[in-house]
């Protein structure tokens, strides 16, 4: 090891918090008040949420880098996702930072995910700064939330030095910060000063170049772009390097080196230890690989993230409408896209199945997999997916399942409905704290299988007034299957176009998903019925022609608009004998076995096999 010094002209920080606690708006304030943008430059809010899905959903999905300059010091900023399903993004990029801003909402307080990200920061030796944000909210409880956050620090610290952390009180949307909660801030500068004082400067170790790839980007002209922090030495354009990956070492040359400033990438001749850079040149590199000097190849420890907890199958579309609406429809194209996702999505797992047209995909949660489905759909892929299911595994001869901590903030009047709803999902209440103005915080231990589809029920039960958060806890003994709560469905018995007469008859039996003029096929689910059994319905049926005149106009005017469901609602709706057909234009729920006779025969054989197994 060479001599170690420090670079006082750089600070590297990550911004970590639960979803909607104000990370991205805090970055907005830092960028604006550090004069990163021109005075006349038009800049959107939440500038770091750059892709369409992030802006539509109002959440950060991908970790991103930016940088500002303050008092002659460059501050590299890593904005991270706040939802627990994207915790893998936090785990893989936090190693680039020496410090972090742990942002906690002054009204909601710390959550299970707050605890998760702080634990990861402590494991990496990152110096935290606690930021109590949104102190301008009417329901802010600054003193209580500060105490609750301090309790989490006491619980998680691994050495006494980690208890020495500064606290900043901020209103990110207003762009103000203060060291004293009783003295309102006028700008964000107290936070910037605290970053310079509390975050240690990066170490500079003399020796040959060494960098761990923590993120990847792609450019149509430059090819793959490796993003990481230079750990040792320096790197320049055209330098010979070695990419040390899991499949062996590859020798190549650097093409270009970039650093960040604001929202721009700046090409530089040379970057040194402590810099967070983007590097082009190697054709093959993956997150976790080490890029080092060809004179002294030496690998850094690879990045490891938590295991996935939910899985579902992705397969080529096998419906009669296959290939109508997508640009990429073959099993080869779907397979290549999923395996390509593994390069940047470390929390994802993809595995082949017995069928060459189907792959098993595992992720950190229902939302994690749902975002992948939505991204692929928007890219023009057409495929089918199964219902998400919790992953189980054998530990010491026992069948185990993942358990999560579920935290709910809602009005006290919803305690009864929520408790009843969660008891059916095998949840156990572990804590209940009453807050101000009739609010309550409920904590449960719940199996992951109980969380699948719960968000929609939760929003309905609380009328959209509550918030929920979950975080992986560990593995417990399998608690058995959940009771089936969904009623039967109406299944189309014919292939054709939906007509008013057939749809009117179907609506007299239940709620429909299709409208007049829609295409349907045998085995496609076109609605629900109140009975527990599925029902075959012909929505393509025309009214018989007779020589007696009759007016059906009144009946057709009473047609009810179809019920529209989102991707997440469909994923929660379908059962194990059903699939969801996903195309750039439509979602269609369907039975795995489309033909009704074949479906009934398969069900009869399944029941017979179960009875035989019970007798033996």
């Amino acid at each position: 090891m060479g001599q170690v010094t420090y670079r006082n002209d750089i600070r590297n920080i990550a911004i970590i918090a639960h979803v909607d606690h104000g990370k991205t708006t805090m970055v907005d304030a830092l960028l604006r008040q550090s004069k990163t943008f021109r005075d006349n430059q038009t800049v959107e809010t939440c500038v770091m949420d750059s892709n369409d899905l992030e802006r539509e959903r109002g959440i950060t999905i991908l970790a991103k880098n930016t940088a500002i300059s303050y008092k002659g010091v460059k501050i590299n900023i890593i904005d991270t996702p706040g939802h627990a399903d994207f915790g893998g993004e936090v785990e893989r990029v936090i190693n680039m930072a020496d410090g972090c801003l742990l942002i906690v909402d002054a009204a909601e307080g710390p959550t299970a995910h707050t605890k998760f990200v702080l634990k990861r920061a402590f494991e990496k030796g990152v110096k935290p700064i606690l930021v109590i944000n949104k102190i301008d909210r009417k329901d802010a409880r600054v003193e209580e939330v500060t105490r609750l956050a301090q309790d989490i620090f006491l619980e998680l610290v691994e050495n006494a030095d980690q208890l020495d952390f500064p606290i900043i009180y901020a209103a990110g949307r207003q762009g103000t910060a203060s060291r004293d909660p009783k003295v309102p801030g006028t700008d964000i500068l107290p936070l910037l000063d605290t970053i310079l004082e509390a975050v240690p400067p990066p170490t500079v170790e003399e020796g040959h170049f060494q960098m761990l790839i923590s993120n990847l980007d792609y450019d149509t002209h430059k090819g793959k772009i490796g993003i990481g922090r230079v750990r040792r030495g320096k790197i320049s354009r055209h330098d010979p390097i070695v990419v040390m990956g899991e499949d062996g070492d590859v020798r190549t040359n650097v093409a270009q080196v970039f650093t960040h400033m604001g929202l721009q990438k700046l090409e530089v001749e040379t970057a040194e230890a402590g810099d967070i850079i983007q590097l082009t040149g190697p054709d093959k590199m993956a997150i976790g690989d080490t890029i080092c000097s060809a004179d002294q190849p030496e690998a850094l420890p690879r990045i490891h993230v938590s295991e996935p907890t939910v899985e579902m199958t992705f397969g080529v579309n096998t419906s009669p409408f296959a290939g109508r609406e997508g640009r990429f429809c073959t099993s080869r194209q779907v397979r290549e896209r999923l395996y390509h996702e593994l390069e940047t999505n470390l929390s994802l797992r993809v595995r082949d199945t017995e069928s060459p047209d189907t792959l098993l995909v595992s992720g950190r949660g229902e939302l994690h997999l749902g975002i992948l489905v939505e991204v692929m759909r928007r890219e023009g892929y057409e495929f089918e997916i199964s219902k998400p299911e919790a992953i189980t595994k054998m530990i010491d001869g026992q069948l185990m399942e993942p358990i999560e901590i579920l935290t709910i903030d809602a009005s006290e009047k919803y305690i009864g409905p929520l408790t009843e709803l969660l008891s059916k999902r095998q949840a156990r209440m572990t804590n209940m704290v009453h807050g101000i103005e009739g609010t309550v915080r409920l904590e449960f231990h719940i199996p992951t299988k109980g969380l699948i589809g719960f968000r929609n029920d939760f929003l309905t039960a609380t009328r959209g007034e509550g918030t929920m958060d979950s975080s992986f806890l560990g593995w417990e003994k399998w608690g058995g299957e959940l009771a089936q709560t969904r009623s039967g469905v109406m299944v189309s018995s014919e292939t054709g176009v939906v007509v008013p007469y057939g749809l009117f008859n179907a609506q007299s039996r239940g709620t429909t998903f299709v409208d007049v003029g829609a295409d349907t096929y045998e085995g496609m689910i076109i609605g629900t019925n109140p009975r527990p059994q599925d029902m075959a319905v012909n929505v393509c049926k025309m009214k018989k022609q007779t020589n007696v005149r009759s007016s059906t106009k009144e009946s057709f005017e009473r047609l009810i608009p179809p019920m529209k469901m989102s991707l997440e609602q469909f994923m929660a709706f379908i059962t194990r004998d059903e699939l969801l057909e996903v195309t750039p234009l439509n979602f269609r729920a369907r039975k795995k076995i489309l033909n009704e006779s074949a479906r009934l025969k398969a069900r009869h054989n399944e029941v017979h096999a179960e009875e035989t197994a019970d007798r033996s």
Side-chain angles (χ1 to χ4, degrees), residues 14-18 23 78 80-81 90 94 100-103 117-118 121:
I15 298 188
I16 57 178
H18 179 55
K23 297 181 305 304
I78 308 161
T80 65
V90 180
I94 201 168
C100 68
L101 303 184
L102 177 67
I103 300 179
V117 293
L118 181 60

Side-chain angles (χ1 to χ4, degrees), residues 327-597:
R327 288 189 296 135
F328 309 111
C329 310
T330 67
S331 58
R332 178 184 61 81
Q333 290 169 329
V334 173
R335 176 186 297 273
E336 287 179 354
R337 177 62 181 83
L338 288 172
Y339 276 103
H340 177 70
E341 184 70 18
L342 293 179
E343 295 181 3
T344 56
N345 199 335
L346 282 195
S347 300
L348 202 70
R349 303 285 186 274
V350 178
R351 183 160 53 89
D352 291 335
T353 65
E354 295 177 357
S355 169
D357 295 332
T358 304
L359 295 112
L360 186 66
V361 181
S362 309
R364 288 283 282 269
E366 192 180 8
L367 181 61
H368 185 204
L369 294 176
I371 291 292
L372 173 61
V373 172
E374 182 64 26
V375 168
M376 289 178 61
R377 183 181 79 88
R378 294 186 182 201
E379 291 173 353
Y381 286 84
E382 181 179 307
F383 52 97
E384 61 189 22
I385 59 174
S386 67
K387 181 179 180 63
E389 295 189 23
I391 295 172
T392 58
K393 63 181 181 179
M394 298 297 293
I395 301 177
D396 298 329
Q398 290 273 9
L399 182 62
M400 309 290 278
E401 65 177 335
I403 301 294
E404 305 195 29
I405 299 174
L406 173 65
T407 306
I408 291 175
D409 290 297
S411 172
E412 290 179 341
K413 62 185 177 182
Y414 300 127
I415 294 177
L418 287 171
T419 305
E420 181 181 358
L421 195 62
L422 285 163
S423 65
K424 296 177 182 178
R425 295 173 173 266
Q426 300 180 1
R428 308 185 303 274
M429 185 184 291
T430 57
N431 195 18
M432 179 168 63
V433 179
H434 291 272
I436 58 174
E437 298 181 359
T439 61
V440 66
R441 168 165 289 189
L442 305 172
E443 290 187 5
F444 296 85
H445 286 180
I446 182 171
T448 299
K449 65 175 183 276
L451 280 175
I452 295 174
F454 173 67
R455 186 174 297 274
N456 295 321
D457 293 342
F458 170 75
L459 292 174
T460 301
T462 60
R463 300 180 183 179
E465 297 175 4
T467 60
M468 59 172 280
D469 166 57
S470 63
S471 182
F472 177 71
L473 176 63
W475 296 83
E476 284 189 6
K477 185 178 177 182
W478 170 254
E481 295 285 353
L482 296 178
Q484 178 68 33
T485 57
R486 198 196 76 177
S487 61
V489 294
M490 291 190 287
V491 184
S492 177
S493 61
E494 300 289 336
T495 299
V497 178
V498 179
V499 297
Y501 183 76
L503 185 61
F504 181 74
N505 289 334
Q507 289 187 346
S508 65
R509 302 179 180 184
T511 303
T512 55
F513 300 156
V514 293
D515 206 350
V516 173
D519 293 324
T520 184
Y521 54 82
E522 182 185 8
M524 178 176 155
I525 296 172
I526 52 94
T528 62
N529 76 82
R531 299 179 181 179
Q533 297 84 16
D534 295 340
M535 180 187 300
V537 178
N538 184 5
V539 288
C540 308
K541 183 180 179 181
M542 304 284 290
K543 183 176 175 61
K544 288 184 178 180
Q545 299 287 337
T546 69
N547 59 357
V548 179
R549 295 184 62 187
S550 65
S551 174
T552 56
K553 180 181 177 182
E554 183 181 347
S555 298
F556 298 156
E557 285 178 348
R558 295 204 303 269
L559 285 175
I560 302 168
M563 184 171 76
K564 298 294 184 182
M565 290 204 291
S566 65
L567 170 62
E568 284 79 12
Q569 288 173 321
F570 264 125
M571 288 170 61
F573 174 79
I574 60 176
T575 58
R576 287 180 177 175
D577 69 330
E578 297 164 359
L579 295 169
L580 180 62
E581 179 185 352
V582 180
T583 78
L585 302 179
N586 288 295
F587 300 117
R588 299 186 186 94
R590 48 158 288 190
K591 290 292 182 179
K592 285 183 178 179
I593 302 174
L594 297 178
N595 181 264
E596 184 183 5
S597 299

Side-chain angles (χ1 to χ4, degrees), residues 591-608:
K591 290 292 182 179
K592 285 183 178 179
I593 302 174
L594 297 178
N595 181 264
E596 184 183 5
S597 299
R599 196 163 58 244
L600 292 174
K601 184 177 180 180
R603 178 56 186 158
H604 173 76
N605 292 339
E606 183 181 332
V607 171
H608 179 70

Side-chain angles (χ1 to χ4, degrees), residues 105-402:
D105 191 301
E108 293 184 16
T111 66
H113 187 65
T114 307
K115 189 174 179 180
F116 167 81
V117 293
L118 181 60
K119 183 179 180 181
R120 292 293 179 267
F122 280 157
E123 289 172 353
K124 299 295 183 182
V126 172
K127 175 73 174 180
I129 297 173
L130 177 60
V131 180
I132 306 299
N133 194 27
K134 302 186 183 182
I135 61 171
D136 53 334
R137 285 182 57 164
K138 292 181 180 180
D139 55 348
R141 43 196 183 104
V142 177
E143 292 184 7
E144 183 183 355
V145 167
T146 303
R147 178 179 55 79
L148 291 172
Q150 289 172 329
D151 289 345
I152 292 179
F153 273 81
L154 283 169
E155 181 182 346
L156 296 179
V157 290
E158 298 184 354
N159 59 68
D161 293 341
Q162 292 173 333
L163 285 175
D164 181 23
F165 58 91
I167 304 176
I168 295 294
Y169 303 90
R173 195 169 289 278
Q174 306 299 325
T176 61
S178 172
R179 300 182 192 232
D180 187 344
K182 298 178 182 177
V183 179
T186 56
D187 52 39
I188 206 71
L189 300 187
L191 176 57
L192 288 168
D193 289 329
T194 303
I195 291 172
L196 297 189
E197 296 164 9
V199 176
T203 58
V204 177
E205 182 186 342
E206 293 182 0
H208 294 284
F209 171 72
Q210 191 181 42
M211 181 185 94
L212 184 72
I213 298 178
S214 299
N215 207 348
L216 283 178
D217 200 356
Y218 184 80
D219 186 275
T220 52
H221 301 291
K222 300 180 180 69
K224 272 191 176 181
I225 302 173
I227 303 172
R229 171 178 164 175
V230 181
R231 293 290 172 182
R232 187 178 67 194
K234 58 179 65 176
I235 190 71
S236 302
R237 294 169 56 186
H238 310 306
D239 280 355
I241 56 172
V242 176
V243 180
M244 306 184 74
E246 288 185 308
D247 299 329
D249 301 348
V250 178
R251 289 181 177 268
T252 183
N253 289 347
V254 175
Q256 293 172 293
V257 180
F258 299 89
T259 60
H260 302 88
M261 182 51 67
L263 305 180
Q264 297 180 328
K265 289 190 296 186
L266 305 177
E267 186 174 0
V268 295
E269 286 292 330
T270 302
E272 301 181 8
D275 282 326
I276 293 178
I277 65 169
Q278 296 192 5
L279 179 150
T280 66
D283 294 328
K284 293 184 178 180
M285 51 182 167
I287 293 173
D289 289 354
T290 299
I291 298 181
C292 49
S293 169
D295 296 329
Q296 186 181 339
E298 186 179 350
L300 290 163
R302 294 192 70 84
I303 299 171
H304 295 285
V305 300
S306 303
E307 296 179 38
T309 56
V310 175
E311 64 184 12
M312 66 185 188
T313 61
F314 281 61
V316 64
N317 188 7
T318 56
S319 85
F321 294 167
R324 285 190 180 186
E325 300 170 356
R327 288 189 296 135
F328 309 111
C329 310
T330 67
S331 58
R332 178 184 61 81
Q333 290 169 329
V334 173
R335 176 186 297 273
E336 287 179 354
R337 177 62 181 83
L338 288 172
Y339 276 103
H340 177 70
E341 184 70 18
L342 293 179
E343 295 181 3
T344 56
N345 199 335
L346 282 195
S347 300
L348 202 70
R349 303 285 186 274
V350 178
R351 183 160 53 89
D352 291 335
T353 65
E354 295 177 357
S355 169
D357 295 332
T358 304
L359 295 112
L360 186 66
V361 181
S362 309
R364 288 283 282 269
E366 192 180 8
L367 181 61
H368 185 204
L369 294 176
I371 291 292
L372 173 61
V373 172
E374 182 64 26
V375 168
M376 289 178 61
R377 183 181 79 88
R378 294 186 182 201
E379 291 173 353
Y381 286 84
E382 181 179 307
F383 52 97
E384 61 189 22
I385 59 174
S386 67
K387 181 179 180 63
E389 295 189 23
I391 295 172
T392 58
K393 63 181 181 179
M394 298 297 293
I395 301 177
D396 298 329
Q398 290 273 9
L399 182 62
M400 309 290 278
E401 65 177 335

Side-chain angles (χ1 to χ4, degrees), residues 28-47:
D28 286 355
L30 292 171
L31 286 168
R32 284 184 170 84
Q33 295 191 35
S34 62
K35 302 298 182 182
T36 300
F37 302 125
R38 302 187 310 273
D39 292 338
N40 63 344
Q41 186 173 352
T42 302
V43 182
E44 299 179 57
T45 58
C46 297
V47 292

